[in-house]
Amino acid sequence: IDWSKAATLLPQAFKEKMQHLSLGDGFALAGDFTIPHNDLDKLTFQGTIQAKNFDILNHNLQLLNAQIYLDPNAVQLKKFTIQDPALTLTCDDLSLIKHRDDQWHLNIPLVRAEGLRPSLLQASDKLRIKSKSLVIKNAELRDINGILSDPESYTGRGNLYFHNPAKKNLFNILFAIPNDLIARIGLDLNLLTPTMGNIFYELRDSKMYLTKLSNVYSDGRRSKFFLSKNAGESSVALAGNLDVKI
């Protein structure tokens, strides 16, 4: 199935979401379709959805599997999994229900990612690059709710644990420091590079707001990092913009 073409058979809210997700081909459905005569709007399906080397959000991933049920007023995914060198993602239950206001409401009790290596995420038009050091060993987002067509309505909460080993002669700090200042004060930039720890966050207003850093240290636990209490909230926008105050 090429979703860029098949989306024309779906309700308008789903057409728009398919375009936003940039879904391409590589998908397959297996199961039972029911299509009343001359009325695609009442189509129902129950079975499985699978994909190999598929595109989503302009990235290419290797494997997807899920059980699916679809009717004019509901979509349910069960045992949803994505497997790729960049991550393993699991979600036991995802539901979309059409309410009386004609809005599709999203509910996901829990989605979990393990072994996430951002550097291994392969853009759809590029080769996969060599892995860098940052690994998000596990991440969770719980109690996700919202209106499908309104990302600002999405809410949820979660946490992750990351590991980012320090590298010699390579500094991965969150801000730039003039070289002449570094030379004068003899600053060891590894002190300013978080290498491990837990991050807690909340999803609201199209952003992940960081609520707590727990046991976030530099290499050798020589520095410990905290969120600033006086400079406002820290956040990561769903579009990717970073605003962190530590």
Side-chain angles (χ1 to χ4, degrees), residues 18 45 50 53 69 71 85 94 104 108 187 213:
M18 292 295 184
F45 174 77
Q50 299 177 331
N53 296 320
Y69 171 80
D71 69 28
L94 181 156
W104 287 84
I108 307 175
L187 179 64
L213 303 184

Side-chain angles (χ1 to χ4, degrees), residues 198-243:
N198 292 281
I199 302 175
F200 294 81
Y201 42 82
E202 294 179 353
L203 171 61
R204 49 187 165 86
D205 302 325
S206 294
K207 295 181 180 180
M208 289 288 188
Y209 286 91
L210 310 189
T211 58
K212 180 182 178 181
L213 303 184
S214 176
N215 298 321
V216 175
Y217 292 100
S218 66
D219 187 42
R221 298 198 172 201
R222 294 183 294 163
S223 298
K224 188 173 183 179
F225 298 85
F226 302 89
L227 292 174
S228 173
K229 295 181 179 180
N230 303 315
E233 293 184 299
S234 295
S235 65
V236 180
L238 297 184
N241 299 327
L242 184 69
D243 181 16

Side-chain angles (χ1 to χ4, degrees), residues 10-236:
L10 299 175
Q12 184 62 32
F14 287 92
K15 294 179 187 177
E16 295 173 356
K17 190 55 62 175
M18 292 295 184
Q19 292 173 348
H20 176 71
L21 292 175
S22 300
L23 292 176
D25 58 7
F27 292 83
L29 293 173
D32 297 323
F33 284 94
T34 302
I35 306 175
H37 183 62
N38 292 331
D39 196 352
L40 283 175
D41 288 338
K42 294 183 180 180
L43 177 149
T44 66
F45 174 77
Q46 184 167 1
T48 62
I49 181 170
Q50 299 177 331
K52 294 183 179 180
N53 296 320
F54 63 99
D55 291 339
I56 182 171
L57 293 174
N58 297 316
H59 286 81
N60 183 264
L61 300 174
Q62 285 191 352
L63 295 172
L64 177 149
N65 287 279
Q67 298 174 3
I68 183 171
Y69 171 80
L70 180 148
D71 69 28
N73 297 301
V75 178
Q76 291 182 311
L77 292 176
K78 302 282 188 181
K79 298 182 179 179
F80 177 91
T81 63
I82 289 177
Q83 293 180 306
D84 187 81
L87 84 162
T88 297
L89 186 143
T90 59
C91 174
D92 288 337
D93 187 15
L94 181 156
S95 64
L96 288 164
I97 306 296
K98 188 177 182 180
H99 287 205
R100 291 181 177 178
D101 58 4
D102 284 335
Q103 298 281 5
W104 287 84
H105 290 248
L106 169 70
N107 175 257
I108 307 175
L110 173 66
V111 60
R112 178 183 292 113
E114 297 180 351
L116 172 57
R117 297 176 180 269
S119 66
L120 284 182
L121 287 171
Q122 180 182 355
S124 299
D125 58 349
K126 297 180 181 178
L127 296 175
R128 199 181 300 272
I129 65 174
K130 185 178 179 180
S131 175
K132 296 180 181 179
S133 58
L134 175 62
V135 180
I136 298 175
K137 291 196 170 183
N138 53 71
E140 293 184 351
L141 190 59
R142 299 178 291 277
D143 302 326
I144 305 168
N145 291 281
I147 297 173
L148 180 64
S149 61
D150 181 13
E152 290 197 358
S153 72
Y154 297 172
T155 59
R157 57 190 176 86
N159 60 278
L160 63 83
Y161 175 78
F162 73 93
H163 184 59
N164 184 32
K167 291 185 178 182
K168 293 182 179 180
N169 301 320
L170 181 62
F171 303 105
N172 180 23
I173 59 176
L174 298 179
F175 49 89
I177 301 176
N179 290 333
D180 58 340
L181 177 59
I182 295 172
R184 288 201 304 270
I185 65 178
L187 179 64
D188 181 357
L189 293 184
N190 278 318
L191 293 173
L192 305 178
T193 304
T195 60
M196 68 180 72
N198 292 281
I199 302 175
F200 294 81
Y201 42 82
E202 294 179 353
L203 171 61
R204 49 187 165 86
D205 302 325
S206 294
K207 295 181 180 180
M208 289 288 188
Y209 286 91
L210 310 189
T211 58
K212 180 182 178 181
L213 303 184
S214 176
N215 298 321
V216 175
Y217 292 100
S218 66
D219 187 42
R221 298 198 172 201
R222 294 183 294 163
S223 298
K224 188 173 183 179
F225 298 85
F226 302 89
L227 292 174
S228 173
K229 295 181 179 180
N230 303 315
E233 293 184 299
S234 295
S235 65
V236 180

